[in-house]
Amino acid sequence: MNLYTEAIEIAKEAYEDTKCFDRAYDRIHEICDGHEISIYYYKAIQFCAEHPTHRGEEYLEDCGGIAQDGDTFGSIACRIAYATLLVSAQDALSELQDEMEAA
């Protein structure tokens, strides 16, 4: 999976679903939460191994931390993959909004 391409697709889907940029940010959370890399340990671990995750990790740290009591390696990987995809999709939505406002 190409992170940038996936983030753009999620941003477009969120905007098309809502037709409102403010609501699209909420929709992005929903889409990323149900994404295969947020659900399946194997996919999350593979994603984390193949993509830079520092921005997702920073996001999680700002939200209270990457790991929680009782977490497994797989659940931590899912959380990091989710956050990385989320911030990338939010960036893509912001770029889409800038492009639409400039047009």
Side-chain angles (χ1 to χ4, degrees):
M1 169 183 32
N2 181 300
L3 176 58
Y4 182 73
T5 304
E6 189 72 11
I8 291 171
E9 291 300 316
I10 290 170
K12 287 179 180 177
E13 178 183 341
Y15 181 73
E16 288 174 12
D17 288 352
T18 63
K19 301 295 186 207
C20 171
F21 284 105
D22 288 337
R23 288 194 309 264
Y25 281 98
D26 292 334
R27 181 71 180 116
I28 284 174
H29 281 273
E30 295 169 1
I31 295 168
C32 291
D33 190 47
H35 197 280
E36 66 182 9
I37 66 167
S38 301
I39 298 171
Y40 301 112
Y41 289 176
Y42 173 79
K43 296 279 188 179
I45 293 166
Q46 183 179 23
F47 175 87
C48 290
E50 295 174 352
H51 297 88
T53 59
H54 63 280
R55 293 193 57 235
E57 292 171 35
E58 289 170 2
Y59 172 86
L60 292 171
E61 287 296 337
D62 290 343
C63 293
I66 294 173
Q68 308 298 320
D69 288 340
D71 275 349
T72 63
F73 176 70
S75 64
I76 293 169
C78 285
R79 191 173 297 119
I80 292 170
Y82 161 80
T84 301
L85 185 60
L86 175 70
V87 295
S88 296
Q90 289 173 334
D91 288 348
L93 183 63
S94 180
E95 288 176 19
L96 179 63
Q97 184 175 11
D98 291 344
E99 290 172 8
M100 291 179 75
E101 288 173 355

